[in-house]
Amino acid sequence: MMNITLKENGPGLDRSNMAYAIVFGCIVVLGLPLNAVSLWTLIRRHSLKSPSAVFMINLALSDLLLVISLPMRVYFYATGSWPLGIMACIWITMLFRNNIRSSSIFITFIGVDRLLAVVYPLRSRHLRSTSNAWKASAFVWIFALVVNVPESINFSKSLYNCSASTCFEFPRCKLLRPPLPYFQSVLVFTMLAVNVVSTAMVSWTLRRHLSDSARVNNKMNVMLVFAMNLIMFIIFFFPLSLALVLKNGKNAIMPTVCLASMNCCLDPLLYYFSLDAFWKKKEDVDSSLARG
């Protein structure tokens, strides 16, 4: 199974495919150093002392896994051929899907952690622990791997039943019906709804308790975290999820795939705003909220 090679009758060297190769190449050039430095900074300087740090480390790891899979997409769209086997195609595809799923969940976890810190500072102290954050992160990875099993089996059957196929594109192949056709779209829409509610609750709390919120350092950065979360979903995750639900063709889906891949280059901004708002003077923020 590992030694079977896909035939090299790729999509051809048209302008759209070269554009995809350029976009994916730019994502690699920007995303690899940004996420590598972010991951190193999170582990080195912040020592896993807060739930947000744990979620951000896992988010950066998810982005790195996506970035290291993109060079083969660049090669495929630049040359129109696939030099690796079916299993490599499956794993690279799964890395992309897992990034969308795990990123949407980890971003939501970051928002929920901030929600608990601002809206329920006292009642949530036992929930907002590093150990609970690690347990939640482990559950996300296990959940993603479990979902990958039926998807990988279905994907491999589709590739082997296809007499002439390439990775990422299947011009003369009718793919088998996926075991979970709307899973990713439902997940993204659900996480988006959670982020919208969290943003509204935090904004309402800060406006209602003006005297309390005035003691929170960098209130603007608090809301910027939630604004970044919503941007990630609305601009990067939502278009692809909508295209999958509508079952649009390649011309509609591929631009959304490129757009979704760009999220790994914007996530470091989320780390910056969260670090500036909550980690530099985290003790002061928590004590102010507790007194309120």
mmCIF file of all heavy atoms in Angstrom, residues 47-87:
data_model
loop_
_atom_site.group_PDB
_atom_site.id
_atom_site.type_symbol
_atom_site.label_atom_id
_atom_site.label_comp_id
_atom_site.label_asym_id
_atom_site.label_seq_id
_atom_site.Cartn_x
_atom_site.Cartn_y
_atom_site.Cartn_z
ATOM 1 N N SER A 47 6.433 29.239 30.140
ATOM 2 C CA SER A 47 6.538 28.078 31.019
ATOM 3 C C SER A 47 5.209 27.410 31.326
ATOM 4 O O SER A 47 5.033 26.835 32.393
ATOM 5 C CB SER A 47 7.222 28.501 32.332
ATOM 6 O OG SER A 47 8.468 29.107 32.067
ATOM 7 N N LEU A 48 4.251 27.493 30.430
ATOM 8 C CA LEU A 48 2.990 26.769 30.579
ATOM 9 C C LEU A 48 2.285 27.090 31.893
ATOM 10 O O LEU A 48 1.756 26.198 32.561
ATOM 11 C CB LEU A 48 3.235 25.256 30.472
ATOM 12 C CG LEU A 48 4.072 24.789 29.272
ATOM 13 C CD1 LEU A 48 4.262 23.296 29.308
ATOM 14 C CD2 LEU A 48 3.414 25.210 27.972
ATOM 15 N N LYS A 49 2.315 28.363 32.297
ATOM 16 C CA LYS A 49 1.749 28.740 33.589
ATOM 17 C C LYS A 49 0.294 29.175 33.520
ATOM 18 O O LYS A 49 -0.291 29.530 34.533
ATOM 19 C CB LYS A 49 2.588 29.865 34.205
ATOM 20 C CG LYS A 49 3.986 29.432 34.618
ATOM 21 C CD LYS A 49 4.759 30.574 35.245
ATOM 22 C CE LYS A 49 6.150 30.135 35.673
ATOM 23 N NZ LYS A 49 6.928 31.249 36.268
ATOM 24 N N SER A 50 -0.307 29.181 32.354
ATOM 25 C CA SER A 50 -1.709 29.581 32.238
ATOM 26 C C SER A 50 -2.397 28.696 31.210
ATOM 27 O O SER A 50 -1.756 28.155 30.307
ATOM 28 C CB SER A 50 -1.824 31.048 31.823
ATOM 29 O OG SER A 50 -1.460 31.207 30.467
ATOM 30 N N PRO A 51 -3.717 28.531 31.322
ATOM 31 C CA PRO A 51 -4.446 27.741 30.323
ATOM 32 C C PRO A 51 -4.297 28.293 28.911
ATOM 33 O O PRO A 51 -4.181 27.532 27.955
ATOM 34 C CB PRO A 51 -5.906 27.826 30.814
ATOM 35 C CG PRO A 51 -5.814 28.130 32.259
ATOM 36 C CD PRO A 51 -4.587 28.982 32.421
ATOM 37 N N SER A 52 -4.291 29.631 28.791
ATOM 38 C CA SER A 52 -4.139 30.228 27.461
ATOM 39 C C SER A 52 -2.818 29.834 26.822
ATOM 40 O O SER A 52 -2.744 29.591 25.620
ATOM 41 C CB SER A 52 -4.244 31.753 27.554
ATOM 42 O OG SER A 52 -5.557 32.154 27.860
ATOM 43 N N ALA A 53 -1.758 29.760 27.636
ATOM 44 C CA ALA A 53 -0.454 29.371 27.104
ATOM 45 C C ALA A 53 -0.503 27.955 26.557
ATOM 46 O O ALA A 53 0.059 27.662 25.486
ATOM 47 C CB ALA A 53 0.607 29.486 28.201
ATOM 48 N N VAL A 54 -1.179 27.064 27.255
ATOM 49 C CA VAL A 54 -1.293 25.679 26.805
ATOM 50 C C VAL A 54 -2.051 25.605 25.484
ATOM 51 O O VAL A 54 -1.628 24.927 24.539
ATOM 52 C CB VAL A 54 -1.991 24.821 27.880
ATOM 53 C CG1 VAL A 54 -2.246 23.406 27.364
ATOM 54 C CG2 VAL A 54 -1.159 24.774 29.153
ATOM 55 N N PHE A 55 -3.168 26.313 25.389
ATOM 56 C CA PHE A 55 -3.964 26.293 24.164
ATOM 57 C C PHE A 55 -3.192 26.917 22.996
ATOM 58 O O PHE A 55 -3.270 26.434 21.857
ATOM 59 C CB PHE A 55 -5.283 27.029 24.377
ATOM 60 C CG PHE A 55 -6.186 26.375 25.378
ATOM 61 C CD1 PHE A 55 -6.904 27.140 26.291
ATOM 62 C CD2 PHE A 55 -6.317 25.000 25.426
ATOM 63 C CE1 PHE A 55 -7.747 26.535 27.213
ATOM 64 C CE2 PHE A 55 -7.153 24.385 26.354
ATOM 65 C CZ PHE A 55 -7.867 25.156 27.252
ATOM 66 N N MET A 56 -2.431 27.988 23.277
ATOM 67 C CA MET A 56 -1.667 28.631 22.212
ATOM 68 C C MET A 56 -0.522 27.752 21.727
ATOM 69 O O MET A 56 -0.192 27.742 20.534
ATOM 70 C CB MET A 56 -1.146 29.980 22.689
ATOM 71 C CG MET A 56 -2.238 31.014 22.849
ATOM 72 S SD MET A 56 -1.605 32.580 23.476
ATOM 73 C CE MET A 56 -3.144 33.442 23.766
ATOM 74 N N ILE A 57 0.106 27.013 22.624
ATOM 75 C CA ILE A 57 1.162 26.087 22.214
ATOM 76 C C ILE A 57 0.597 25.020 21.283
ATOM 77 O O ILE A 57 1.188 24.689 20.252
ATOM 78 C CB ILE A 57 1.824 25.457 23.450
ATOM 79 C CG1 ILE A 57 2.728 26.481 24.136
ATOM 80 C CG2 ILE A 57 2.636 24.212 23.074
ATOM 81 C CD1 ILE A 57 3.302 26.008 25.455
ATOM 82 N N ASN A 58 -0.549 24.480 21.629
ATOM 83 C CA ASN A 58 -1.168 23.474 20.774
ATOM 84 C C ASN A 58 -1.637 24.067 19.450
ATOM 85 O O ASN A 58 -1.558 23.407 18.405
ATOM 86 C CB ASN A 58 -2.342 22.831 21.511
ATOM 87 C CG ASN A 58 -1.906 21.830 22.557
ATOM 88 O OD1 ASN A 58 -1.656 20.668 22.259
ATOM 89 N ND2 ASN A 58 -1.793 22.276 23.800
ATOM 90 N N LEU A 59 -2.102 25.314 19.479
ATOM 91 C CA LEU A 59 -2.498 25.989 18.244
ATOM 92 C C LEU A 59 -1.293 26.211 17.346
ATOM 93 O O LEU A 59 -1.356 25.981 16.124
ATOM 94 C CB LEU A 59 -3.171 27.317 18.572
ATOM 95 C CG LEU A 59 -3.642 28.170 17.387
ATOM 96 C CD1 LEU A 59 -4.629 27.406 16.531
ATOM 97 C CD2 LEU A 59 -4.266 29.472 17.883
ATOM 98 N N ALA A 60 -0.168 26.642 17.924
ATOM 99 C CA ALA A 60 1.051 26.835 17.140
ATOM 100 C C ALA A 60 1.553 25.515 16.572
ATOM 101 O O ALA A 60 2.038 25.445 15.431
ATOM 102 C CB ALA A 60 2.130 27.480 18.003
ATOM 103 N N LEU A 61 1.441 24.431 17.341
ATOM 104 C CA LEU A 61 1.848 23.113 16.852
ATOM 105 C C LEU A 61 0.967 22.674 15.688
ATOM 106 O O LEU A 61 1.465 22.130 14.688
ATOM 107 C CB LEU A 61 1.764 22.100 17.996
ATOM 108 C CG LEU A 61 2.130 20.652 17.649
ATOM 109 C CD1 LEU A 61 3.559 20.570 17.152
ATOM 110 C CD2 LEU A 61 1.932 19.752 18.862
ATOM 111 N N SER A 62 -0.320 22.913 15.787
ATOM 112 C CA SER A 62 -1.225 22.579 14.692
ATOM 113 C C SER A 62 -0.871 23.352 13.428
ATOM 114 O O SER A 62 -0.877 22.803 12.320
ATOM 115 C CB SER A 62 -2.667 22.886 15.108
ATOM 116 O OG SER A 62 -3.559 22.675 14.033
ATOM 117 N N ASP A 63 -0.548 24.632 13.584
ATOM 118 C CA ASP A 63 -0.162 25.444 12.432
ATOM 119 C C ASP A 63 1.146 24.972 11.815
ATOM 120 O O ASP A 63 1.305 24.967 10.585
ATOM 121 C CB ASP A 63 -0.051 26.914 12.842
ATOM 122 C CG ASP A 63 -1.403 27.535 13.142
ATOM 123 O OD1 ASP A 63 -2.417 27.023 12.638
ATOM 124 O OD2 ASP A 63 -1.449 28.534 13.879
ATOM 125 N N LEU A 64 2.099 24.566 12.658
ATOM 126 C CA LEU A 64 3.366 24.053 12.134
ATOM 127 C C LEU A 64 3.162 22.773 11.333
ATOM 128 O O LEU A 64 3.798 22.570 10.291
ATOM 129 C CB LEU A 64 4.346 23.811 13.283
ATOM 130 C CG LEU A 64 5.166 25.010 13.753
ATOM 131 C CD1 LEU A 64 6.045 24.627 14.940
ATOM 132 C CD2 LEU A 64 6.032 25.567 12.615
ATOM 133 N N LEU A 65 2.298 21.898 11.811
ATOM 134 C CA LEU A 65 2.014 20.663 11.085
ATOM 135 C C LEU A 65 1.412 20.969 9.716
ATOM 136 O O LEU A 65 1.701 20.283 8.732
ATOM 137 C CB LEU A 65 1.063 19.779 11.892
ATOM 138 C CG LEU A 65 1.651 19.162 13.170
ATOM 139 C CD1 LEU A 65 0.572 18.410 13.938
ATOM 140 C CD2 LEU A 65 2.818 18.230 12.838
ATOM 141 N N LEU A 66 0.566 21.999 9.661
ATOM 142 C CA LEU A 66 0.016 22.403 8.370
ATOM 143 C C LEU A 66 1.104 22.941 7.461
ATOM 144 O O LEU A 66 1.187 22.576 6.279
ATOM 145 C CB LEU A 66 -1.069 23.458 8.571
ATOM 146 C CG LEU A 66 -1.588 24.132 7.284
ATOM 147 C CD1 LEU A 66 -2.312 23.124 6.414
ATOM 148 C CD2 LEU A 66 -2.489 25.308 7.605
ATOM 149 N N VAL A 67 1.958 23.814 7.993
ATOM 150 C CA VAL A 67 2.978 24.467 7.179
ATOM 151 C C VAL A 67 3.940 23.445 6.564
ATOM 152 O O VAL A 67 4.310 23.545 5.388
ATOM 153 C CB VAL A 67 3.751 25.502 8.015
ATOM 154 C CG1 VAL A 67 4.962 26.017 7.246
ATOM 155 C CG2 VAL A 67 2.840 26.672 8.376
ATOM 156 N N ILE A 68 4.349 22.443 7.345
ATOM 157 C CA ILE A 68 5.316 21.471 6.822
ATOM 158 C C ILE A 68 4.703 20.576 5.751
ATOM 159 O O ILE A 68 5.442 19.897 5.012
ATOM 160 C CB ILE A 68 5.918 20.611 7.947
ATOM 161 C CG1 ILE A 68 4.833 19.773 8.628
ATOM 162 C CG2 ILE A 68 6.648 21.479 8.951
ATOM 163 C CD1 ILE A 68 5.374 18.846 9.701
ATOM 164 N N SER A 69 3.371 20.562 5.650
ATOM 165 C CA SER A 69 2.740 19.770 4.595
ATOM 166 C C SER A 69 2.550 20.558 3.300
ATOM 167 O O SER A 69 2.282 19.965 2.249
ATOM 168 C CB SER A 69 1.365 19.259 5.076
ATOM 169 O OG SER A 69 0.430 20.320 5.154
ATOM 170 N N LEU A 70 2.689 21.875 3.358
ATOM 171 C CA LEU A 70 2.400 22.709 2.194
ATOM 172 C C LEU A 70 3.440 22.640 1.080
ATOM 173 O O LEU A 70 3.077 22.835 -0.090
ATOM 174 C CB LEU A 70 2.208 24.160 2.633
ATOM 175 C CG LEU A 70 0.959 24.440 3.481
ATOM 176 C CD1 LEU A 70 0.864 25.925 3.803
ATOM 177 C CD2 LEU A 70 -0.303 23.958 2.786
ATOM 178 N N PRO A 71 4.739 22.401 1.364
ATOM 179 C CA PRO A 71 5.686 22.323 0.244
ATOM 180 C C PRO A 71 5.306 21.303 -0.827
ATOM 181 O O PRO A 71 5.541 21.539 -2.018
ATOM 182 C CB PRO A 71 7.001 21.941 0.936
ATOM 183 C CG PRO A 71 6.893 22.557 2.288
ATOM 184 C CD PRO A 71 5.439 22.388 2.660
ATOM 185 N N MET A 72 4.690 20.185 -0.435
ATOM 186 C CA MET A 72 4.273 19.207 -1.428
ATOM 187 C C MET A 72 3.090 19.711 -2.246
ATOM 188 O O MET A 72 2.948 19.357 -3.423
ATOM 189 C CB MET A 72 3.927 17.886 -0.756
ATOM 190 C CG MET A 72 5.133 17.148 -0.196
ATOM 191 S SD MET A 72 6.522 17.057 -1.364
ATOM 192 C CE MET A 72 5.768 16.288 -2.785
ATOM 193 N N ARG A 73 2.253 20.528 -1.638
ATOM 194 C CA ARG A 73 1.192 21.170 -2.427
ATOM 195 C C ARG A 73 1.799 22.148 -3.435
ATOM 196 O O ARG A 73 1.331 22.253 -4.573
ATOM 197 C CB ARG A 73 0.205 21.892 -1.504
ATOM 198 C CG ARG A 73 -0.756 20.977 -0.757
ATOM 199 C CD ARG A 73 -1.754 21.786 0.056
ATOM 200 N NE ARG A 73 -2.679 20.936 0.780
ATOM 201 C CZ ARG A 73 -3.893 20.591 0.356
ATOM 202 N NH1 ARG A 73 -4.314 21.040 -0.806
ATOM 203 N NH2 ARG A 73 -4.673 19.807 1.080
ATOM 204 N N VAL A 74 2.815 22.868 -3.012
ATOM 205 C CA VAL A 74 3.504 23.785 -3.922
ATOM 206 C C VAL A 74 4.072 23.017 -5.106
ATOM 207 O O VAL A 74 3.902 23.419 -6.271
ATOM 208 C CB VAL A 74 4.629 24.539 -3.184
ATOM 209 C CG1 VAL A 74 5.429 25.399 -4.168
ATOM 210 C CG2 VAL A 74 4.057 25.410 -2.071
ATOM 211 N N TYR A 75 4.740 21.901 -4.811
ATOM 212 C CA TYR A 75 5.328 21.079 -5.882
ATOM 213 C C TYR A 75 4.243 20.563 -6.821
ATOM 214 O O TYR A 75 4.409 20.596 -8.055
ATOM 215 C CB TYR A 75 6.104 19.919 -5.269
ATOM 216 C CG TYR A 75 6.734 19.002 -6.301
ATOM 217 C CD1 TYR A 75 8.015 19.261 -6.791
ATOM 218 C CD2 TYR A 75 6.045 17.895 -6.802
ATOM 219 C CE1 TYR A 75 8.588 18.441 -7.741
ATOM 220 C CE2 TYR A 75 6.604 17.074 -7.751
ATOM 221 C CZ TYR A 75 7.889 17.347 -8.225
ATOM 222 O OH TYR A 75 8.439 16.525 -9.169
ATOM 223 N N PHE A 76 3.150 20.088 -6.263
ATOM 224 C CA PHE A 76 2.082 19.511 -7.087
ATOM 225 C C PHE A 76 1.489 20.543 -8.036
ATOM 226 O O PHE A 76 1.333 20.291 -9.231
ATOM 227 C CB PHE A 76 0.999 18.926 -6.185
ATOM 228 C CG PHE A 76 -0.207 18.450 -6.933
ATOM 229 C CD1 PHE A 76 -0.175 17.266 -7.656
ATOM 230 C CD2 PHE A 76 -1.386 19.194 -6.925
ATOM 231 C CE1 PHE A 76 -1.292 16.825 -8.347
ATOM 232 C CE2 PHE A 76 -2.496 18.762 -7.616
ATOM 233 C CZ PHE A 76 -2.455 17.575 -8.330
ATOM 234 N N TYR A 77 1.160 21.717 -7.508
ATOM 235 C CA TYR A 77 0.526 22.719 -8.362
ATOM 236 C C TYR A 77 1.518 23.406 -9.288
ATOM 237 O O TYR A 77 1.131 23.947 -10.322
ATOM 238 C CB TYR A 77 -0.203 23.755 -7.496
ATOM 239 C CG TYR A 77 -1.479 23.211 -6.905
ATOM 240 C CD1 TYR A 77 -1.580 22.927 -5.551
ATOM 241 C CD2 TYR A 77 -2.582 22.971 -7.714
ATOM 242 C CE1 TYR A 77 -2.752 22.419 -5.007
ATOM 243 C CE2 TYR A 77 -3.756 22.453 -7.184
ATOM 244 C CZ TYR A 77 -3.827 22.175 -5.831
ATOM 245 O OH TYR A 77 -4.986 21.653 -5.313
ATOM 246 N N ALA A 78 2.808 23.377 -8.947
ATOM 247 C CA ALA A 78 3.813 23.983 -9.814
ATOM 248 C C ALA A 78 4.209 23.064 -10.966
ATOM 249 O O ALA A 78 4.549 23.529 -12.052
ATOM 250 C CB ALA A 78 5.049 24.365 -9.003
ATOM 251 N N THR A 79 4.185 21.740 -10.725
ATOM 252 C CA THR A 79 4.642 20.783 -11.736
ATOM 253 C C THR A 79 3.523 19.971 -12.360
ATOM 254 O O THR A 79 3.700 19.391 -13.437
ATOM 255 C CB THR A 79 5.668 19.820 -11.134
ATOM 256 O OG1 THR A 79 5.030 19.022 -10.124
ATOM 257 C CG2 THR A 79 6.841 20.584 -10.514
ATOM 258 N N GLY A 80 2.382 19.883 -11.675
ATOM 259 C CA GLY A 80 1.291 19.070 -12.184
ATOM 260 C C GLY A 80 1.497 17.588 -11.981
ATOM 261 O O GLY A 80 0.831 16.776 -12.629
ATOM 262 N N SER A 81 2.409 17.192 -11.095
ATOM 263 C CA SER A 81 2.679 15.777 -10.856
ATOM 264 C C SER A 81 2.780 15.509 -9.362
ATOM 265 O O SER A 81 3.040 16.420 -8.568
ATOM 266 C CB SER A 81 3.978 15.352 -11.551
ATOM 267 O OG SER A 81 5.083 16.063 -11.015
ATOM 268 N N TRP A 82 2.600 14.240 -9.012
ATOM 269 C CA TRP A 82 2.664 13.817 -7.615
ATOM 270 C C TRP A 82 3.682 12.686 -7.490
ATOM 271 O O TRP A 82 3.417 11.541 -7.886
ATOM 272 C CB TRP A 82 1.297 13.361 -7.132
ATOM 273 C CG TRP A 82 1.288 12.930 -5.694
ATOM 274 C CD1 TRP A 82 1.144 11.666 -5.209
ATOM 275 C CD2 TRP A 82 1.447 13.778 -4.558
ATOM 276 N NE1 TRP A 82 1.200 11.659 -3.838
ATOM 277 C CE2 TRP A 82 1.386 12.953 -3.414
ATOM 278 C CE3 TRP A 82 1.644 15.147 -4.388
ATOM 279 C CZ2 TRP A 82 1.510 13.454 -2.123
ATOM 280 C CZ3 TRP A 82 1.761 15.641 -3.112
ATOM 281 C CH2 TRP A 82 1.694 14.811 -1.998
ATOM 282 N N PRO A 83 4.878 12.966 -6.948
ATOM 283 C CA PRO A 83 5.946 11.961 -6.911
ATOM 284 C C PRO A 83 5.814 10.961 -5.772
ATOM 285 O O PRO A 83 6.502 9.939 -5.774
ATOM 286 C CB PRO A 83 7.207 12.812 -6.727
ATOM 287 C CG PRO A 83 6.727 13.995 -5.940
ATOM 288 C CD PRO A 83 5.329 14.270 -6.425
ATOM 289 N N LEU A 84 4.967 11.231 -4.798
ATOM 290 C CA LEU A 84 4.847 10.361 -3.641
ATOM 291 C C LEU A 84 3.655 9.407 -3.797
ATOM 292 O O LEU A 84 2.899 9.489 -4.756
ATOM 293 C CB LEU A 84 4.696 11.192 -2.371
ATOM 294 C CG LEU A 84 5.821 12.206 -2.117
ATOM 295 C CD1 LEU A 84 5.545 12.990 -0.844
ATOM 296 C CD2 LEU A 84 7.182 11.524 -2.044
ATOM 297 N N GLY A 85 3.495 8.535 -2.833
ATOM 298 C CA GLY A 85 2.454 7.532 -2.933
ATOM 299 C C GLY A 85 1.115 7.985 -2.385
ATOM 300 O O GLY A 85 0.927 9.128 -1.970
ATOM 301 N N ILE A 86 0.176 7.056 -2.373
ATOM 302 C CA ILE A 86 -1.172 7.338 -1.911
ATOM 303 C C ILE A 86 -1.190 7.698 -0.432
ATOM 304 O O ILE A 86 -1.891 8.612 -0.009
ATOM 305 C CB ILE A 86 -2.085 6.126 -2.192
ATOM 306 C CG1 ILE A 86 -2.316 5.992 -3.694
ATOM 307 C CG2 ILE A 86 -3.417 6.266 -1.462
ATOM 308 C CD1 ILE A 86 -3.147 4.781 -4.065
ATOM 309 N N MET A 87 -0.403 6.972 0.367
ATOM 310 C CA MET A 87 -0.413 7.229 1.804
ATOM 311 C C MET A 87 0.060 8.642 2.116
ATOM 312 O O MET A 87 -0.479 9.306 3.011
ATOM 313 C CB MET A 87 0.460 6.207 2.530
ATOM 314 C CG MET A 87 -0.148 4.814 2.597
ATOM 315 S SD MET A 87 -1.806 4.810 3.338
ATOM 316 C CE MET A 87 -1.457 5.448 4.974
#
